[in-house]
Amino acid sequence: MTGTAVRTGPGATARDLVGRLAGGGSGTVFALLILIFAIIFTLNPSFAAPPSLLAFVKAAAPLVILAAGQYLVIVSGELDLSVGSLVGAQVVLAAALIDGEASRTVPVLLLMIAFGAAVGLVNGLVTTLLKVPSIITTLGTMLVLYGAIRLWTGGAPTGALSDEFRVAGRGGIEDLPFIGQLPWALLILLAVGGAVVALMRSPFGRTLVATGDNDTAAAFSGARVWRVRTLAFVGSSLLATLAGILIGGFAGVTAQVGDGLEFAAITAVVLGGVVLGGGRGTVIAAMAGALTVEALFTLFNQLSLPSTIQPTVQGLIIIAAVAYAARERPIRSPRSAEPALPGPDKPTEVPPAGGTR
């Protein structure tokens, strides 16, 4: 009898439940999000008011958009560590170039888009054509951007963002009944989510997932793996640029803008059940993972826990999610449960009469 043994008993069920909650999953991330919100509403009932919820979404929108971009890279089998430094570089550059002048806003926005696309293109081509592992490529890009901005500004950002630049992250449709303000950040977030979902349902999205699942098989089926992965890096950098625009509008310019966002985005994606290594996971779950991370940190604030606990929690989530995915992968693989196929029949050699050799 072949197959994988089924674990039974209350102990196995409890372990499986804890593993799924700790390791993430497309279904359990929504349950975890609801659970965290329920605790927050219990501790602070006023948080359930529509204005408070919309304020939470406005603050969470940049991370959710970053998670959508990180998803494109991770589901293709790669990793992008440069998005946090890219966000910081974009905001600092925008402040220095605009310097409070409204007439410079649109040209600087266009320059930011071009710069973001160039960074993604470099990351993609170095990874796919030069065969440098993406974790090394994007780590190098992260350090280059971080060092260049610190060298240029001397560690203290200069200039100022115009009011027009800050509208996307701060403003919205005002004086609406019941909710007050409908943030532009929420509308941008919904547009990005819809666009990425449509992209993943297109032939490009299916090829992207197939590349992450098995790039050799995808190449044999006619997919241009290098181009698909390069475009994933470009998409990640463009969405990081958009996140930088929202962060700059919402929080302004500081020396720490963008710090740690790459790890927060990776935490969100793996919490959403997307497997590091590619080939599995949905963008909706990845974005829900980002909301869950933001809700979790909001809960920490409600409990008056120090902010220094956040990196520890992110690390534990990543380790648990990767360990759980690694445990589940052999179980879900049909090949692991199949017996080895017998080889071709060979004639049996009969020993000579009178003894054996």
Side-chain angles (χ1 to χ4, degrees):
M1 179 178 179
T2 62
T4 304
V6 178
R7 292 171 295 176
T8 60
T13 303
R15 285 193 301 271
D16 186 66
L17 177 61
V18 172
R20 289 185 182 276
L21 289 177
S26 296
T28 54
V29 67
F30 295 99
L32 186 59
L33 179 61
I34 293 172
L35 176 62
I36 293 174
F37 269 120
I39 298 174
I40 293 175
F41 295 158
T42 302
L43 296 174
N44 183 11
S46 63
F47 193 87
S52 297
L53 288 176
L54 290 175
F56 166 81
V57 174
K58 183 193 296 187
L63 180 58
V64 179
I65 291 174
L66 271 178
Q70 189 71 245
Y71 166 83
L72 296 176
V73 175
I74 289 179
V75 83
S76 73
E78 303 295 345
L79 201 63
D80 190 353
L81 296 179
S82 66
V83 292
S85 291
L86 179 58
V87 167
Q90 294 279 38
V91 174
V92 171
L93 283 172
L97 295 177
I98 293 176
D99 199 19
E101 294 289 336
S103 60
R104 301 178 184 176
T105 301
V106 174
V108 169
L109 286 173
L110 296 177
L111 179 62
M112 291 172 67
I113 293 172
F115 180 63
V119 170
L121 186 62
V122 169
N123 283 338
L125 293 179
V126 170
T127 299
T128 58
L129 297 186
L130 299 184
K131 306 300 182 183
V132 178
S134 59
I135 190 172
I136 302 300
T137 300
T138 57
L139 177 63
T141 303
M142 177 182 75
L143 296 175
V144 168
L145 291 174
Y146 181 87
I149 292 301
R150 296 305 187 276
L151 179 64
W152 182 44
T153 63
T158 58
L161 298 171
S162 63
D163 292 337
E164 289 75 9
F165 185 97
R166 305 192 70 172
V167 166
R170 230 179 221 198
I173 303 175
E174 303 288 345
D175 301 326
L176 294 178
F178 191 60
I179 63 173
Q181 182 196 73
L182 180 62
W184 292 120
L186 173 59
L187 299 179
I188 293 172
L189 174 60
L190 293 176
V192 168
V196 178
V197 168
L199 178 68
M200 294 310 298
R201 292 183 177 178
S202 69
F204 173 83
R206 292 192 290 270
T207 303
L208 193 66
V209 175
T211 298
D213 184 51
N214 190 324
D215 54 0
T216 302
F220 276 122
S221 68
R224 296 183 178 180
V225 173
W226 72 270
R227 185 174 68 177
V228 169
R229 282 180 167 160
T230 299
L231 290 176
F233 278 104
V234 173
S236 175
S237 294
L238 288 176
L239 289 180
T241 298
L242 179 56
I245 294 172
L246 295 181
I247 289 175
F250 180 78
V253 185
T254 64
Q256 292 78 31
V257 62
D259 287 358
L261 282 178
E262 61 279 347
F263 299 113
I266 294 171
T267 303
V269 172
V270 298
L271 187 60
V274 182
V275 176
L276 290 178
R280 274 173 47 193
T282 66
V283 67
I284 292 295
M287 297 172 77
L291 284 175
T292 303
V293 169
E294 283 289 340
L296 186 62
F297 294 155
T298 300
L299 177 60
F300 290 165
N301 291 333
Q302 296 284 342
L303 296 174
S304 299
L305 296 178
S307 60
T308 51
I309 197 176
Q310 294 184 8
T312 302
V313 173
Q314 291 178 10
L316 291 175
I317 290 174
I318 292 174
I319 292 172
V322 173
Y324 182 74
R327 186 193 67 174
E328 286 293 295
R329 187 175 289 270
I331 296 176
R332 294 185 180 183
S333 175
R335 294 183 180 179
S336 63
E338 293 177 358
L341 295 177
D345 294 336
K346 295 182 180 180
T348 303
E349 185 176 353
V350 179
T356 59
R357 291 185 295 175

